[in-house]
Amino acid sequence: MTTSPHAPSPAAPVASAPGGTAVASQPLRLSIAEDPHGPVDGAWWPRSRDLVTEVADLVDHFPVEVGRLDRLLFSRPDWDDPEGVATPRRVRAARGTVKTGSFPSDDTHLVVAKLASGRRVRLVVVPPGTSESEARGVMTAAGGPDNHRTARELLGLDTDQRDDLGHQAWDDDGAGATP
């Protein structure tokens, strides 16, 4: 007996977006560098923290000229984790099923999309509640030819100053971090 490479195994939870596919009323908010060479290849600004719906939308609307998504690794803190619901190991979309998994270290703020060609695309996940101007700035920077910043740096999460021992550095009046 042969099985399709995308057939779910009995042990792997499979989830589908509502109605079996993502319904995008608006274009996918995605930027991908033409010639990536930094720590990230672009950025994705999902509309919600619902992993299944957003991954299905990403799969269905990922630019065909870039490739077809086969697998997706995600950072757990970027997504809601409903109680009692197992994190899906596969998500069904109109274009097919994509395997999903999470990073061992959770604070990356990335999705890594493995394409059918074998190429990996590292995308900063811009939080859905981010203002349009901030999100567009992150997306432009992440997909830009001169980007050498990490996801955390692009999102402004590496801003606290620490001394060599890992303690918060304070200015002379104790009011905050030193620049």
Side-chain angles (χ1 to χ4, degrees):
M1 178 174 135
T2 61
T3 60
S4 161
H6 296 290
S9 68
V14 177
S16 295
T21 184
V23 177
S25 57
Q26 299 173 351
L28 187 63
R29 301 183 300 188
L30 178 72
S31 70
I32 298 177
E34 288 184 31
D35 184 23
H37 56 274
V40 299
D41 302 315
W44 174 38
W45 185 24
R47 288 180 165 68
S48 76
R49 291 179 48 91
D50 181 329
L51 179 69
V52 172
T53 298
E54 298 300 333
V55 167
D57 185 42
L58 182 64
V59 169
D60 287 345
H61 300 97
F62 198 76
V64 293
E65 62 275 8
V66 176
R68 184 177 56 82
L69 285 146
D70 269 353
R71 299 183 74 123
L72 192 82
L73 290 173
F74 61 92
S75 176
R76 284 183 180 272
D78 294 328
W79 307 99
D80 289 337
D81 193 15
E83 288 220 15
V85 177
T87 301
R89 296 184 59 201
R90 297 172 192 262
V91 172
R92 287 189 188 128
R95 283 192 184 171
T97 301
V98 65
K99 294 178 184 179
T100 61
S102 60
F103 292 110
S105 97
D106 280 339
D107 203 17
T108 59
H109 301 286
L110 286 174
V111 294
V112 177
K114 181 182 170 276
L115 307 181
S117 66
R119 175 181 172 199
R120 285 180 171 70
V121 178
R122 299 155 302 182
L123 301 170
V124 176
V125 176
V126 179
T130 305
S131 74
E132 174 126 8
S133 62
E134 280 185 70
R136 295 285 175 205
V138 170
M139 293 175 69
T140 299
D146 298 327
N147 178 45
H148 297 287
R149 293 181 285 171
T150 66
R152 291 187 56 78
E153 291 167 338
L154 287 162
L155 293 171
L157 299 174
D158 279 347
T159 58
D160 76 345
Q161 301 290 319
R162 304 224 173 235
D163 63 20
D164 293 339
L165 299 174
H167 300 106
Q168 180 71 42
W170 297 93
D171 61 18
D172 291 338
D173 66 2
T178 56

